[in-house]
Amino acid sequence: MNEKKYPKVLLCCPQHESKMYAWSRWYENVMNLTYPNFDIYIADNSPTMDNVIYMNTFEGVRAVFTPDRKKGHLAIMNDSHKQLIEYAKKNKYEWIFHLESDVIPPIDVIERLLARNRPIIAGAYDIFAGQQRMAMIQLPEGINRTERAFNVVDYLQHREPLFFDGKLQKVHHAGLGCILIHRDIFNSVQFRVVKGLDMHTDTLFANYCYHLHKDIVVDKTVMCKHYNTTWDGKIIN
């Protein structure tokens, strides 16, 4: 494999048994991706090893268990994120493609994001309560780097025609559902949570990137499907 032409990519995500409703669809999509040089690595934070054992029966998948169930849900999810990055560093992957297990991108997504030549670049996907009305994108507005304070606009309304114009867009936050990150970013930005702060890993990652002048951009040609659920477990198609 010519790694100069096709740099080594780790396709990875945290996983939990509650997300297995989307597994077949996600796995089929991943196996159809057209990029020729990627591996699949999953850090599962379910209560038991059963999910890890099951996922490891699938061709090309390496799943590992995230230990220590005594932590709160934010901390345990963050531990899964950290496992992914530690594995990527140890095994010298140049790029980390973080693809959450209910997000379905176009099959040429890796090539398209790599071609943009940006250290942090995301695809867009819908969020919230079964209504395809908002994209997981927040634009910065009135952010003061010196005071380390920020305000962001509400999530972008779904498919605003002036936004999805095929160009790149600098954003404050685009989630971790479909995002390609160069390994060098993790020399200065880490996945983390803050004790006492009800904020998920993806939001803190975006905040740290902003204050460290690490731009996050969205490729406005890449729109993914998001098979999330409502709080009662109903699958959103």
Side-chain angles (χ1 to χ4, degrees):
M1 180 65 65
N2 184 343
E3 289 198 9
K4 186 173 182 180
K5 184 176 181 181
Y6 299 110
K8 195 175 178 182
V9 174
L10 183 67
L11 188 156
C12 58
C13 70
Q15 178 63 307
H16 187 271
E17 61 186 22
S18 62
K19 288 293 190 80
M20 289 303 288
Y21 65 86
W23 171 257
S24 295
R25 183 180 273 148
W26 183 87
Y27 177 75
E28 180 180 1
N29 182 254
V30 166
M31 296 304 287
N32 284 326
L33 295 180
T34 54
Y35 189 74
N37 193 19
F38 73 91
D39 296 319
I40 307 166
Y41 189 74
I42 298 171
D44 186 89
N45 51 66
S46 300
T48 71
M49 287 283 293
D50 292 350
N51 220 31
V52 169
I53 293 168
Y54 175 71
M55 289 187 292
N56 277 322
T57 66
F58 287 78
E59 179 184 357
V61 173
R62 181 174 182 189
V64 296
F65 187 62
T66 303
D68 193 355
R69 301 305 309 173
K70 295 179 183 179
K71 296 183 177 181
H73 73 283
L74 292 178
I76 195 71
M77 285 192 294
N78 189 65
D79 283 353
S80 289
H81 286 292
K82 289 165 65 175
Q83 277 182 284
L84 304 175
I85 302 310
E86 288 166 4
Y87 182 83
K89 287 181 174 180
K90 180 180 179 181
N91 292 279
K92 302 186 186 306
Y93 289 91
E94 185 171 352
W95 291 91
I96 293 91
F97 181 42
H98 195 285
L99 183 68
E100 291 184 355
S101 60
D102 56 2
V103 174
I104 309 298
I107 61 172
D108 60 349
V109 60
I110 298 178
E111 299 96 314
R112 287 162 68 176
L113 295 180
L114 281 172
R116 296 294 200 170
N117 196 30
R118 296 296 187 99
I120 312 174
I121 184 163
Y125 56 96
D126 300 309
I127 55 174
F128 293 147
Q131 301 176 33
Q132 292 190 332
R133 59 186 176 86
M134 292 184 178
M136 184 62 190
I137 293 170
Q138 290 175 303
L139 303 176
E141 186 174 271
I143 298 178
N144 187 318
R145 291 186 194 271
T146 303
E147 297 178 3
R148 300 184 65 80
F150 66 93
N151 295 303
V152 293
V153 300
D154 290 337
Y155 288 100
L156 189 75
Q157 294 301 304
H158 177 63
R159 297 184 185 276
E160 290 185 9
L162 295 180
F163 186 84
F164 290 99
D165 58 4
K167 299 178 182 179
L168 296 182
Q169 172 68 52
K170 181 179 174 181
V171 300
H172 176 72
H173 185 19
L176 294 174
C178 176
I179 190 166
L180 185 71
I181 307 170
H182 193 269
R183 63 186 176 197
D184 289 349
I185 291 296
F186 294 102
N187 293 334
S188 53
V189 182
Q190 303 299 321
F191 287 145
R192 65 188 70 189
V193 291
V194 176
K195 188 175 182 179
L197 183 63
D198 187 17
M199 190 174 288
H200 286 259
T201 298
D202 59 348
T203 303
L204 281 167
F205 177 77
N207 293 349
Y208 284 119
C209 284
Y210 189 87
H211 291 299
L212 291 171
H213 299 262
K214 308 292 185 183
D215 290 345
I216 300 174
V217 297
V218 167
D219 183 335
K220 294 188 284 183
T221 72
V222 176
M223 190 69 196
C224 308
K225 295 179 180 179
H226 187 198
Y227 292 97
N228 57 339
T229 66
T230 59
W231 287 110
D232 62 4
K234 182 180 178 181
I235 297 175
I236 297 168
N237 295 310

